[in-house]
Amino acid sequence: MSDTQQSPLSRLWQYTDAYHRTVVIATIYSTLNKVFDLAPPVLIGVAVDVVVQQQDSFLARLGIPDVMTQLVVLGVLTAVIWACESLFQYLYAVQWRNLAQTIQHDLRLEAYDHVQHLDMAFFEERSSGGLMAILNDDINQLERFLDIGANEIIQLITTILVIGGIFMVTAPSVAWMTVLPMPIIIWGSIRFQRWLAPRYMRVREQVSVLNGQLSNNLGGIATIKSFTAEAHERERVREESDEYRQRNRDAISLSAAFVPLIRMVIVSGFIAIMVFGGRLVLQGALAVGAYSVLVFMTQRLLWPLTRLGETLDLYQRAMASTARVMDLLDTPMEIVSGPEALPVASVNGEIVLHDVSFAYQAGGNGRSAANYPTVIQNLTLRIKAGETAAIVGATGAGKTTLMKLLLRFYDVSSGQILLDGHDLRDLQLSDLRQAIGFVSQDVFLFHGTVRENIAYGTFNAPEEKIVEAAKLAEAHDFIMELPQGYDTIVGERGQKLSGGQRQRISIARAILKDPPVLVLDEATSSVDNETEAAIQRSLERIAVGRTTIVIAHRLSTVRNADVIFVLENGRLQEQGRHEELVARQEGIYAGLWRVQTGRAAHHQTSGIALVN
């Protein structure tokens, strides 16, 4: 049986193999607590027996003839039993709650670690809000069940076994009357469980949808405000929240019916033991003390079953959540680290693409790519170690995709990408990505200080290195003008800084990493001319002695590159230095250069005049 075909409980049990000893200890504590909890009704029955039978009581037959002594012994036993019950209640509460917290912590950590090692296609198909619902809310549901529900189930089983045994020994002729409702209750519980399971799974799915909507809206709050779409988005959230409420109502309407129905089944057993047990006492076939025990025990046996509905409710919510967490953990990693080590210090930086083709896969995870065109087609090129190479082309030419392949965010569909002669798929991912510094046009800064963001990835960097990197990125001056300098909080995604400031901090971060290969993806696309000039000065300094790949729309930023590769529809159409490519009047690069330098209109006008 595959993992996904197993029940969530069995999958959870297999996952928690390291905690089985703790589960056993907690189970023992829960069992002993319930055993001592069931003792007082027996003591009451013995006390009634002492008062009624006196020298002929059960304790007298054990060798304690004095009635007062019997009562004192009962008092001492009561104190001991209550102390033991309290002790084991404390112990099981500590064990179960700590176990719940430990499993919650470990499961969340493992799930998060697994998620961040999944390939980029996984994230492109799922909302961050949906993943947050699994990593937070679903794991919390499991914690609540382990904290409360597990102990409830164990104590219920203990109650049935202990009281059933007492009944069979004390009054076997009427014991069956008390036990008779139990199969009906258990059958009803199983039926309710089956009916509830799909309802709670639908609830958990809607939680993901709602969280995704909220997360998406909060991330795009500036767009919402600029388009005055607050009312529209409120309506969308209302619809998803209302759907969540309706799905919960479906589950609640069923789960709430459990206790009233079970209560009516339970009362039949209670009435039976009162009436027929009392009849045995009147006939002299059952002692008054034993009858007292039976009446009390019937209540202790059957009434706790009314809580079975709440326990099942917790169980079903937890199992629905467990299935989602386990499915997430079972998601395979498509991008697997290779076996070959390549320490950063030994990387020269030569990059070779040999007949590389790539298409995004529809649905990800290896499913059909039929709906997606090939983005990179039979691409072959070579970038020498220490060389500055530029990759240019129109939007959709495959430039950014090429960088994703270089970082192994995706694997090539065919062909090879080599770093210093090593196929990227053979290299350990950590070595490959340590060797490449990546500055994206979509800069991501973490909520924290400027210093923390520059040192991200080089976490133990000394202060002087951080400042040196900031100076090289021409970021030091504006950082010192911030309210707390390097200790200034940048806000979520760096929203307290301008686009140019964020870009320069990301460049400082790449400089501090000091990689042998530096990739700049449209690093100056969204900044003003002055900031672009500052960034260009920075890039010229940091490109010395390392392989640098620049993706750019603004051709002015790549004029000094050692080699320029021009892509069109995923194919290499031209390559050479700026002067060579501009000289090809009918070339793609020359056409782009004319457009960007304002010569295209003049060229077109001249052409029309000639035709006329």
Side-chain angles (χ1 to χ4, degrees), residues 45-310:
V46 175
V48 170
D49 186 55
V50 168
V51 172
V52 174
Q53 301 293 338
Q54 299 185 15
Q55 284 83 7
D56 297 326
S57 69
F58 173 72
L59 288 180
R61 292 196 297 273
L62 292 178
I64 309 174
D66 182 67
V67 175
M68 196 62 203
T69 304
Q70 292 178 31
L71 293 174
V72 170
V73 168
L74 279 176
V76 172
L77 278 174
T78 300
V80 171
I81 287 170
W82 279 61
C84 289
E85 180 191 356
S86 299
L87 172 64
F88 287 112
Q89 183 171 8
Y90 168 78
L91 291 174
Y92 87 62
V94 169
Q95 284 291 323
W96 282 118
R97 290 177 184 177
N98 284 337
L99 176 66
Q101 293 299 321
T102 300
I103 290 179
Q104 175 187 236
H105 168 75
D106 291 350
L107 188 58
R108 179 177 288 122
L109 201 61
E110 183 173 343
Y112 167 74
D113 189 56
H114 181 73
V115 164
Q116 68 177 0
H117 283 91
L118 293 174
D119 52 292
M120 293 300 293
F122 173 85
F123 297 98
E124 290 170 357
E125 295 172 0
R126 289 163 176 81
S127 72
S128 57
L131 290 173
M132 282 294 295
I134 296 175
L135 294 173
N136 189 42
D137 197 41
D138 281 320
I139 291 177
N140 287 347
Q141 290 285 353
L142 177 58
E143 180 263 337
R144 282 191 282 273
F145 170 71
L146 291 172
D147 195 3
I148 301 170
N151 173 69
E152 290 277 353
I153 291 172
I154 291 166
Q155 293 207 332
L156 184 61
I157 293 171
T158 303
T159 298
I160 293 170
L161 294 176
V162 171
I163 294 179
I166 292 173
F167 273 35
M168 290 301 177
V169 171
T170 306
S173 61
V174 294
W176 65 272
M177 297 180 185
T178 304
V179 176
L180 185 61
M182 294 187 64
I184 300 174
I185 294 170
I186 293 170
W187 175 83
S189 300
I190 293 172
R191 295 300 300 175
F192 263 78
Q193 176 185 336
R194 289 177 180 171
W195 292 334
L196 277 171
R199 285 172 165 82
Y200 278 125
M201 183 57 75
R202 292 181 70 242
V203 169
R204 302 314 313 152
E205 290 169 353
Q206 185 59 24
V207 168
S208 292
V209 174
L210 179 57
N211 279 8
Q213 182 70 56
L214 291 170
S215 175
N216 192 52
N217 283 13
L218 292 174
I221 193 67
T223 303
I224 292 172
K225 286 179 175 295
S226 66
F227 283 90
T228 60
E230 290 90 345
H232 172 75
E233 293 302 334
R234 180 186 181 280
E235 180 61 21
R236 291 177 67 191
V237 170
R238 187 200 65 76
E239 289 175 0
E240 298 300 348
S241 183
D242 190 59
E243 178 65 19
Y244 174 60
R245 179 177 63 173
Q246 292 300 333
R247 293 189 183 191
N248 259 309
R249 279 181 174 176
D250 290 343
I252 290 168
S253 63
L254 186 61
S255 63
F258 180 82
V259 173
L261 292 174
I262 294 302
R263 190 188 299 271
M264 299 312 299
V265 178
I266 286 171
V267 76
S268 63
F270 190 69
I271 292 170
I273 202 68
M274 271 202 322
V275 173
F276 291 99
R279 182 183 176 189
L280 289 177
V281 173
L282 294 175
Q283 293 174 349
L286 186 65
V288 175
Y291 176 65
S292 302
V293 172
L294 290 178
V295 172
F296 278 113
M297 283 298 190
T298 300
Q299 184 197 29
R300 298 299 295 273
L301 172 64
L302 297 179
W303 285 113
L305 292 175
T306 60
R307 294 204 304 274
L308 192 58
E310 297 174 13

Side-chain angles (χ1 to χ4, degrees), residues 438-549:
F438 183 57
V439 179
S440 171
Q441 59 178 319
D442 183 22
V443 177
F444 188 95
L445 298 186
F446 294 89
H447 182 74
T449 65
V450 172
R451 176 185 290 101
E452 289 168 344
N453 273 282
I454 293 176
Y456 191 81
T458 316
F459 301 104
N460 298 319
E463 180 73 14
E464 59 271 19
K465 290 289 187 182
I466 294 174
V467 173
E468 181 184 345
K471 288 180 177 177
L472 282 172
E474 299 208 11
H476 177 74
D477 290 343
F478 85 75
I479 291 173
M480 296 307 296
E481 293 175 0
L482 296 174
Q484 284 83 42
Y486 282 84
D487 293 317
T488 301
I489 300 294
V490 302
E492 189 173 3
R493 297 184 68 91
Q495 61 186 354
K496 293 184 178 181
L497 304 178
S498 70
Q501 289 172 334
R502 291 196 297 268
Q503 194 66 268
R504 280 182 274 183
I505 286 177
S506 72
I507 291 171
R509 185 161 59 192
I511 293 171
L512 187 62
K513 183 179 180 181
D514 192 25
V517 178
L518 181 64
V519 177
L520 305 164
D521 184 7
E522 302 286 0
T524 62
S525 63
S526 58
V527 297
D528 55 58
N529 292 334
E530 184 180 347
T531 303
E532 180 186 358
I535 292 174
Q536 280 299 116
R537 291 193 297 270
S538 302
L539 298 182
E540 287 172 7
R541 287 195 293 267
I542 65 176
V544 176
R546 76 181 83 237
T547 304
T548 306
I549 303 174

